[in-house]
Amino acid sequence: MKIAIRYYSETGNTEKLANAISKVTEAKALSIDNPLDENVDILFLGSSVYYSSAPKKIKTFIKNINVKVGTVVNFSTASIMRGTYNSVKRQVIAKNIDMSTREFHCKGSWGAFYEARPNDKDLNNCREFAKQILLEQESKTIKES
């Protein structure tokens, strides 16, 4: 199974989640400045909420995907809003790429809001989420065989 991890992080919060996913998947967590250069079964794609939506840079990254992606799995942080799933899903579906119905989201520190988040508990939960995604994908692959 080929896995890629891409993220956009202005404060480092989403990057922490990307690195937690990397520990489980053994795929290198890279910023969206690194386009996908090969087909992948799973793309873990992370960002935070900016102006009530996924950042424009994430939307541009998705629009510029020119390899085959099996499924996109969204992960995100935000101090106030509740994740980027719907915004990312619209972009992913427009590219005719499958979007996982599952998302990992946790609070991210921003100024005085939610200091020290994501914390160790958040990162552990993120790793568990990634393990579940891998197990689900393996099960799906076996059923399709």
Side-chain angles (χ1 to χ4, degrees):
M1 181 174 6
K2 184 68 179 164
I3 298 167
I5 305 166
R6 296 295 186 275
Y7 66 89
Y8 175 72
S9 185
E10 286 189 16
T11 62
N13 296 328
T14 305
E15 182 178 11
K16 289 177 185 176
L17 297 183
N19 288 330
I21 293 168
S22 177
K23 287 183 181 180
V24 171
T25 64
E26 298 181 1
K28 189 170 183 177
L30 299 171
S31 78
I32 58 169
D33 296 328
N34 298 274
L36 295 173
D37 58 3
E38 61 185 345
N39 297 343
V40 296
D41 299 303
I42 300 174
L43 169 60
F44 286 93
L45 185 60
S47 63
S48 185
V49 177
Y50 295 95
Y51 304 104
S52 301
S53 183
K56 185 175 181 179
K57 290 182 179 185
I58 281 286
K59 294 174 184 178
T60 301
F61 175 82
I62 295 167
K63 286 179 186 175
N64 291 334
I65 291 175
N66 60 6
V67 297
K68 184 179 183 316
V69 175
T71 302
V72 172
V73 178
N74 194 64
F75 63 97
S76 62
T77 61
S79 60
I80 299 171
M81 304 295 288
R82 172 67 185 123
T84 59
Y85 182 85
N86 291 329
S87 178
V88 169
K89 181 179 178 179
R90 281 190 295 278
Q91 303 299 315
V92 168
I93 297 301
K95 287 286 288 190
N96 292 314
I97 300 172
D98 182 53
M99 180 77 179
S100 173
T101 58
R102 308 223 12 235
E103 172 193 35
F104 183 81
H105 174 77
C106 72
K107 296 294 183 187
S109 63
W110 181 64
F113 295 100
Y114 303 104
E115 288 187 44
R117 299 286 302 271
N119 57 27
D120 287 342
K121 182 179 178 183
D122 296 323
L123 298 176
N124 284 333
N125 288 341
C126 185
R127 285 189 285 273
E128 287 303 314
F129 171 79
K131 287 177 189 174
Q132 287 300 313
I133 294 294
L134 295 182
L135 288 172
E136 290 169 10
Q137 182 65 31
E138 288 172 6
S139 175
K140 180 180 170 185
T141 302
I142 290 170
K143 286 180 184 176
E144 291 173 353
S145 300

